[in-house]
Structures are given as structure tokens and as C-alpha cells.
Amino acid sequence: MTLLREWRDRSDGARLREVLITGFTHDLVFLERHCVPTARALGARITVLGDAGQAVHEPVDVRYAGRTYQHGHAACVGAFHPKLVVLVGDDDVWAAIGSGNPTWSGWGHNQELWLVLRTSTRQGPAAQRDLAAWLVDLPEVVAMPTWIADAVVRVGGYVAPDEVDNSLPDLRIFGNLRQPILSRLSPGPVDALRVSSPFFDPRGAALRALVDRFSPAAMSVALQPTLSQYDAAALAQVAATVPTTGFRLLDESRTYHGKLVEWAVDGVTTALVGSANCTAAAMLSTTSAGGNCELVALAPVLDSLLPEGTAATRIPPSEAHALATQPRHAVKLVLLGARRQEQDLVVELTTTAREPVTIESSPDGTPGTWTAFQVWLPTGETSATLRFPAPEQLGGAVRAWVEVSGERVVSSAVYLTDPVRCLPREDEQDRPRLVRDYELDKTITDPALAARFNADLLRLLSQVQRPPTGTSALRTQPAAVEVASSEDRWGAWLHHVEGILGPSLTGLVFPSSPRLPDGTVTRWTVGADPDDTELADGEDEDVVDTEIEPDSEHRTIPPSEHRKLRTWAIRWVKAVSRPARPPLELRMTVVLLYLDLLAAGVWGTEESWRTEVRDLVHALLPDDEETDALPGRTISYQCSLTAVCLALLFQGASPHGGGEHDIIAKAAWEAARESVAFADRRLAVEYLHRAAQPHARVVSESEVDEIIHLAEAVVDDPRAEVRAAFAQAGLPARLVNGVWVVDGEFRNPRRTAAQAATVAGKQSAVLARNTSRAALVLRDGATLYFAESTAPRWRVYRLSPLGTPLSLLGNPEGLPAAVSQHPLDAAPPQVSQLADRLEVDLTQLVAAVHTMS
């Protein structure tokens, strides 16, 4: 706590990036009250890691775990026991290695021992590098949630100095992950050995090993008569092997929880402090071999750290050692952590159970509120990552239980974590953003607030424009993405977007992200300026009383505001359609706003919206740089929103017609059909509105599905679009060796061939036949080469800008004048060249016409 206050009160205002806290017992309620607010206010990500079975808080009392700070459980065969606090800034590393658990007692009441290291990220002692290496190696040996492991490794990377200097050459920091602590201590003989520990082995094994290694001429042991756990007879036996031994009995007004091994040689005293008690599991074993996980620091000290006490020649008998081995269930079930990833819940656990394991959640951990939502069947000793769709009613606290031989084994609770929201605060306080969180329904229906929103949005769109592709681009990825693991990339990006748009708009633009509190889709009612006292013809006041009720889902946009809203919408469209476009999330925001206004009936019977929606479709398409830089799920949203726009444009339009609406829809389709092929139908449905008012422009789920299906078919088969158009036109066309062949009982093959050539497109070959006549059209853009069996010669035509083969050749009164004519068997060179490009056999086509002659 002192370190945090000192950092807060620094005159240089240095940012705090990371706070890492580890301990055996841990009290999240204590941390939330005394640590988390200060560290979070300084901008840090806070990561708390404790032994899975040693939480001293009640789940019902925990408020902010998983949302403001990260908490996870660690599991190893022995106890997860290191007591460590690391504070990392841009230039500074402060680390405290000691004996105090992150609890009221460990950080407040007990007598504890700490070594505090204050150094730099640029250069520091070798011990700083060793601490960094221990942090990086920790997740390799100790089980913990993967997102906590990512944070621990990242903190280790920050702690490692760029350059190791010669400062503090006698300081050492190490653990016992792969090598016992005792083996790291230089052997004796020593003049004096001093030991203080709240826990000793029942048989004094660790103390005996220390004596054997140091061969001390004298030894002092400090303990509390009733608060320490020890075997008096075992300690006396070890003491008998040392020439001079003394015991210090410490007062018991407070618990002496500090762990100390200290030795003196030629007047120089060296102290070992940290988490390791004087036990075999701590001092003589390794974590990887089944011992505890410990962390210690070794350094010379000017004066002895052994606490003062009353000298005693013998130790009072104690039975506390009987409590040293805590009862454990035969079956181990450890829930390491739980997190939400998109629509799924990820739970990480370890267990030795073979029976079904039930996963349950509670809104806040209150007894009686736990609800089971998943059952998993393990196989033997297992570390598992379970991923399954998150239930609709998912609480913030998660735990697991298994019943073995009639006994229920329940894990400690973990807290549903959003690692992205726990990231360090971004350094983009002056970045462009909307000045407030706008709830769209309230904003658009309030003229004054709507005007503020329009000005705010236009300002933002002008400030964050991206240069055209090929020029140096503005930074569009948030800093948070750089500190998130790959699986958090979408969440980090979404968190960045929320900082720009606010939670409400973000939840509407990206519907599967956190929704608005009521979870509803915004809708408006179109009508006159409201007059609650006005009655329609045939109504009486009783009808009004029963039918007009407040509806929180429908808000009125008065017609008097429509023209202004349309003007604003045009400005938004222009702002996102310029070559220097804003980032994709802002272009999508404008599209969503426009579609919402269309659904609100703001355009009435006007059709001017079509050209603007077409321009928005073009604006939605990401360039290659955006596609590579943005999370894949962002592109899925973009494709899905594009599908909704295209479905809207094709209402009252045909992709093969020649009308104004047809041409507008066709232009949008040709630009975006490949993008729509990758739309997610479930996401597209989230963008749909219900037609709850007159003049609403909305699309149905079936219309969107039809557009997506057609786009998918075109990607798989480039001619699928033409096949669909033939089917829509009622033409039984077959593709035979590159030629669209239409056989039927129609009376006029010429008109049928012209209609088919109009559908088939600008580069096509069409043959229409009935039982007696045939007509052939080869089309090369605006040039048509036509032949028919009744007059076997080539006729060359040029289409007008608005003309089609059908409009040119479909006249029943006869053929128009041709630009030129040629014998059927002596086709002009252009016909042969076109046939080669279309990969059709011109000889066979000519023969087909001759056959009908």
C-alpha cells in the first residue's frame, strides 16, 4: 500500500502500466477496497493470482473482479505460495518480494518481511533479470488461466531490463520452479545461523537440512509459542547438533509471519526473505517435482532481521504441527478461471475426477442463486479448457462441483473475466471521439440533442479520415491491441471503438457486443407532432384510454424534423464517401444511422435514398490494408451490414433491368457481391427492423437471405447470377460449350434470343431455337452480331447508351437497319475474334443456324 501511495504522489506524474499481485491466501474484498481503486486510477491493469483453495473472501462480497481487474487461480501439486507485488511504469519497475499475503492480515496486521527493489526498465541489476525470467517461466510450471498467464509473461517482459548493470551485485532473486531453494545457497561453515518461520516441518526436516548445509557454530530460532506451528521435540533434536543454540520466544500480540533464514560469516550478515517457510515442501523440493511454488530474495543486511524476543533454553511443547497437513479431498477439482469470448463461455480447470463435473453460475455468489448450465465428463487426471455457448442467464461468479461416493466436492468460485476491459488505460485521452454516450432513440427524437449529435458526428468524421490506399495511413488500431493476446484481438478492438463511439452506439453497430441495458432494438414511430388530446374519426375517449399506452420501444419522430434529418444524413454519406475515408467502424456507424432513419420513415415516399445507400455500400467496402489490419469478426459485421443494404436496394429493382432503380442496385451489387458472400446471416438479422410505421423502408430476413445465397452462388459459380436471372425471366436457358441455348415452343426465336442476350450480359453468346427457326446473338459490349435462319447472314448493330438487345431486336415489326451485313459463312474478323474470347465454336453455331434454314 505504501508503494502505491508513493507512486500516486510522485511529482513526475508517471503512468502506472501493470500491477501484478500473487499470494497464497488472498482477499479480493480487501484489494477492492484498498488497492484496486488507486492502481486503476493510475491507469494500470491489475492482475491477482492466488492459490485455488485459499480465497478468504466470500463470493457474494466481490464486486469488480473480472471487469476492473483480473483474478485467477493457480494450481500445482503443492501450495502456490509466492508473495509478490510488481509495479511497472514506462520507465520504472518496483518489486516487493516477501511474506505477506494480499489480505487484511498480510498487508496490514501481521509482522511481515519484504525486500523492495526500485529500478528502471532500461537498466538494472542481474536480480531484476532473474525476477523477469521467473515470471516468464511461471506459467510453464504452474497451471493458471491462459489470459492470466499472458499477463504474467508480459509483466516479465516489462521487468527485464534492456541492460544489466553492476548495481546490487549481491542481490539475488529466485524461486524453486525447477531447482530447490536450499541448493541455491552457498554452503558453510558459517559463524551463526538464524531462522524465524511461522511454520516448521513436523519432523524438522528443513531446519536439519539448513544445519547440514551451513554447519553453523551457533544457531538462533525465533518462534511464537502458540501461534507458530512446530514440533518442539524435532526442533530440539536438530538444535542438539549445533554447538550453541538459543531460542527466542516472540510475543503474540501480532502474528510474526515473516520468513527469515539469516547467516553471518566474518561479520557479514546475509538474509534470505520471501515466501518460503522452514519446511521441506518450500526449501527442499521443486514445484515441478510436487513441492510448493516459492519466491525468495537474498541480500546482505547491515543488522540482523531476527525479531526480538525472550530468550529460552528450551521450546515449550506445541501440538500445532498436527495442523500443518490440511485435509484434502481424494478428488481434486480446481477452477482456474472463466471468461466470455464473443458468444461463448471459456472455463479452464484441472481435475482428477472421472465423474461428471457440473459448471454453475450465480449473479453475485449469493447462496441459493447458483444455477447449473453445463455438465462435462472428464477422463482421468485432466487439465481442460471447456468452451461452450454462454447461457442466456449467465452470472458473474462461476464454480464447479463433482459428486464422488456421495460426497460433493465444490471448487472455489472464479469471476467471469473480460481481459480487455482490464487492460491498462490507453494513452489516447486527446484522440477524436464523440463527446458523450448517445442513446440513439432518445437522441434522434430530441431536436436539440439531435443537433448536438449531428455536429459532434461531423466533427469526428472530419478529424479521423484515413488517407487513400497507397499513402501513409493514420494509426487505426488501438494501443490496447498490442497488449492483448491474439484471441483478445476482437475484444481489444471493440474496446477501442467503444472509447470513440460510446457504449450505446457501439452496441448497435456491433450487435453481439455488450447490448444496451434493456437489450432492445431501437425503433421509432412516424406521426404528427403528438397531441394526446386529439381523437380520430369514430374514436371516443374510452378507445383512447385502452389503446394509447406508453411504449418504451417506440418513440416518435415528428414529420417537421424529417427534412432536417435527411439533410444531415446526406452530409454523413458525403463524409464517409470521400477518398480520405474515416475508419471502417465510423463508416459502419453512418450506415447504421441511415438505415435506422429509413426504418423510421424519414424519407416518406421519396426515392432519393437509393443513390445514397449505393454510395454507402461502396463506402463500406474495406481496402486491403483494413482487411489485413482489422480483426476478422469486424469484417464479418461489415459483410453482413452490406448484405442488408443490397437487399434494401433490390426492393423494387432488378439486377437485369434497365430502369433507374435497376441501374443503381446493379452498381452496388457488382461492387459488393464478393463481400456479401461472406456475410454471417445471424449478424445480418441483428440489423433488421420491423415496419412499425408508415413509409418505413425495411427488409425481411428472407430478402437478406436471398441476397446472401445469390452472392455465395456467384462466388462458387460466376454464371450463377445469370442462371438466376434466366430463371426469374422464365427462360429455360442451358449453357452448352459456352453458349446459352434456349429451346422451346416460342413463336419468335429472334425476340427470345434478344431477351436472353439482355440477361446474359455484355460478353455472351446466345442461341434460341424452336422446331423450325433459330436466332443467334453474339454480344461484345455495345456491339451485337446477329444471325437467324430465315435470313442467314450476319448483321452488325451498335446499341445506344440506354439500349439493350431486347429493345433493339424485340420489335415484332421487323429488324432495324444494320451497320453492316456479311454472309453467314464469311463472318467478319471481329466475329471470329469474339468467338475465341468467349471460347465458343463458331463453326458449330453457324451450322446450328443453317440447320434451321
Side-chain angles (χ1 to χ4, degrees), residues 426-481:
E426 297 177 31
D427 285 333
E428 301 178 64
Q429 298 303 309
D430 57 346
R431 68 181 176 184
R433 67 182 71 198
L434 294 176
V435 298
R436 58 172 292 175
D437 181 31
Y438 294 97
E439 294 186 29
L440 194 56
D441 56 347
K442 297 178 181 178
T443 298
I444 297 299
T445 56
D446 181 331
L449 186 56
R452 291 178 58 188
F453 171 69
N454 173 63
D456 198 9
L457 179 61
L458 288 174
R459 173 196 58 79
L460 179 63
L461 292 172
S462 67
Q463 290 179 343
V464 295
Q465 289 180 340
R466 299 174 64 253
T469 303
T471 62
S472 59
L474 292 175
R475 178 188 179 91
T476 59
Q477 285 298 298
V481 173

Side-chain angles (χ1 to χ4, degrees), residues 86 154 183 259 269 348 452 459 572 584 608 682 826:
V86 180
R154 185 167 293 277
S183 69
K259 296 94 164 81
T269 300
E348 297 184 10
R452 291 178 58 188
R459 173 196 58 79
W572 302 340
L584 179 60
S608 60
R682 294 170 300 177

